[in-house]
């Protein structure tokens, strides 16, 4: 991630099916977090294809889910009442929306403001690259990243990914 962030390589831009990509991330997450309840909801009616880089979106989603797993585990250790993580994938007319929400430890206002800054981390062993890389990649393909959080309650990360580039949908 550090090398990709510092010197981003050329993305392989192509149509990417989230119906194929997200379940892979979901299964990896479930294997990494047997103690955390992770649920996946995918809209079965809309086309869930966006224009981007297949490998980078997998890394991006896995970064976010790993952060959620750590936040839930941290809250379970401190308070014992965290439930888990919800992953939702839905299509709109122009975008695909991916929302990853957890009821973990959450972030303060200052942490929320700084969480996508390179090298900013609240973790003892954190590098501060995961969310910075995520933001850089999502913006590179014309998408948006939104993060909402409340300390000791929740964090929701939402990605809006474009179905097309500069006027034409790739099919």
């Amino acid at each position: 991630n550090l090398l990709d962030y510092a010197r981003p390589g050329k993305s392989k831009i192509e149509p990417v099916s989230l119906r194929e990509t997200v379940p892979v991330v979901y299964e990896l997450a479930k294997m990494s977090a047997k103690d955390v309840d992770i649920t996946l909801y995918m809209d079965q009616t809309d086309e869930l294809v966006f224009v981007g880089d297949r490998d980078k979106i997998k890394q991006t989603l896995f970064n976010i889910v790993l952060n959620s797993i750590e936040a839930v585990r941290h809250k379970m250790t401190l308070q014992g009442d965290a439930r888990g993580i919800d992953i939702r994938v839905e299509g709109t007319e122009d975008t695909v929306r991916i929302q990853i929400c957890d009821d973990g430890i959450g972030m303060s206002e200052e942490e929320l403001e700084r969480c996508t800054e390179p090298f900013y981390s609240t973790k003892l062993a954190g590098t501060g690259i995961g969310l910075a890389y995520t933001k850089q990649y999502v913006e590179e393909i014309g998408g948006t990243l939104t993060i909402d959080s409340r300390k000791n309650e929740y964090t929701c990360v939402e990605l809006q990914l474009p179905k097309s580039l500069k006027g034409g949908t790739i099919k």
Side-chain angles (χ1 to χ4, degrees), residues 104-131:
I105 198 68
M107 291 183 270
S108 68
E109 286 185 34
E110 178 189 353
E111 291 167 336
L112 186 57
E113 285 178 25
R114 299 193 60 202
C115 69
T116 58
E117 290 178 14
F119 310 112
Y120 174 79
S121 180
T122 59
K123 301 174 192 173
L124 291 176
T127 61
I129 294 298
L131 284 176

Side-chain angles (χ1 to χ4, degrees), residues 16-95:
V16 178
S17 169
L18 291 174
R19 288 192 204 285
E20 296 169 9
T21 307
V22 173
V24 171
V25 173
Y26 171 73
E27 290 302 324
L28 285 171
K30 286 191 69 95
M31 288 189 311
S32 300
K34 294 182 191 254
D35 59 332
V36 176
D37 182 31
I38 303 172
T39 58
L40 172 63
Y41 167 80
M42 293 186 78
D43 187 332
Q44 297 302 314
T45 59
D46 287 329
E47 184 63 29
L48 299 177
V49 174
F50 80 103
V51 178
D53 184 297
R54 184 177 325 280
D55 293 332
K56 286 186 178 182
I57 194 62
K58 282 181 190 175
Q59 183 64 52
T60 294
L61 295 175
F62 199 62
N63 284 341
I64 296 167
V65 172
L66 283 180
N67 284 346
S68 288
I69 290 168
E70 291 175 14
V72 169
R73 281 183 174 151
H74 190 159
K75 189 172 181 182
M76 288 168 74
T77 300
L78 295 176
Q79 301 173 1
D81 66 347
R83 288 181 309 278
I85 302 164
D86 289 327
I87 304 169
R88 298 182 70 80
V89 185
E90 302 170 310
T92 68
E93 186 175 327
D94 299 323
T95 63

Side-chain angles (χ1 to χ4, degrees), residues 93-108:
E93 186 175 327
D94 299 323
T95 63
V96 177
R97 181 172 73 107
I98 303 169
Q99 190 177 58
I100 300 169
C101 295
D102 66 66
D103 67 344
I105 198 68
M107 291 183 270
S108 68

